[in-house]
Amino acid sequence: MTTIAPFVSAGAQAGQAAEMKIHKLMWLTVGNGQLQELSDYLVDIDGLIDIVVYKGNLRIRLELLDQDAAATAGPCRLQLNAHVDENASYAVKNDALTVSATMKGKSATVSLSRDDGGKKTKCVMTGFLDITCWLEAKES
C-alpha cells in the first residue's frame, strides 16, 4: 500500500544523479540533483534548480511517519528547502502519493507519481508555488 517506491521512477536508488525537467513545447532540463536517500518511508533529494520563479538550491525530504505499508493515509514530515512541516499528512489518491503541508504559513500540496512508463517521477506542487516537474535518472 503506502511505501514510497511505487510513486518514484522504477529502479530509483540512493546515490543516483537526476535531472529535473519541465515540459512546455519540448522537454527542458531546469535542474540537477542527487537522490540522497530512498527507503520504504523516506525520500531525500538535494539539488539545484533554475526556473523563472526560482533559482537556487532545492531540497525535498519526505518521511512517512507511521511507517505502515498497509496504510493509505497518515502523518508525514515534509521539508522543502528550509521550510519544514512536522505535522504534514499524506494520502494515496489516483495512483499518486499526495502530501498536504503548511509552508510559509500557506497550504501546499506535493504529489508524486510514476510517469512515462515508470522512467520519470512526476512531481506536482501547488499552493504557494504551482509547478509540475519531472525527475529523470541521468545516464551514466
Side-chain angles (χ1 to χ4, degrees):
M1 292 296 247
T2 306
T3 58
I4 291 173
F7 304 100
V8 297
S9 57
Q13 55 190 336
Q16 187 174 36
E19 293 179 333
M20 181 175 286
K21 299 180 177 209
I22 59 172
H23 191 265
K24 294 297 177 189
L25 295 176
M26 60 185 188
W27 288 103
L28 301 171
T29 299
V30 294
N32 292 287
Q34 186 171 31
L35 185 57
Q36 300 291 328
E37 292 183 58
L38 179 63
S39 69
D40 285 345
Y41 306 107
L42 175 69
V43 61
D44 188 358
I45 302 164
D46 194 18
L48 297 169
I49 187 170
D50 185 358
I51 55 177
V52 173
V53 295
Y54 177 77
K55 179 179 181 176
N57 294 330
L58 178 65
R59 176 83 184 271
I60 302 170
R61 183 176 174 93
L62 170 63
E63 184 176 2
L64 305 181
L65 299 175
D66 58 357
Q67 297 191 2
D68 181 357
T72 58
C76 64
R77 176 183 187 274
L78 178 64
Q79 176 181 351
L80 295 173
N81 288 344
H83 308 287
V84 179
D85 186 347
E86 301 281 353
N87 300 304
S89 62
Y90 74 87
V92 176
K93 299 176 185 174
N94 303 324
D95 296 324
L97 177 62
T98 301
V99 175
S100 297
T102 302
M103 300 285 171
K104 300 167 119 178
K106 298 179 182 177
S107 295
T109 302
V110 177
S111 294
L112 300 175
S113 61
R114 283 188 179 175
D115 200 19
D116 193 17
K119 295 177 189 174
K120 294 180 181 75
T121 302
K122 183 177 182 180
C123 182
V124 179
M125 294 176 270
T126 58
F128 68 91
L129 176 63
D130 293 336
I131 187 170
T132 300
C133 60
W134 289 260
L135 298 172
E136 182 176 37
K138 279 187 173 180
E139 296 294 324
S140 301

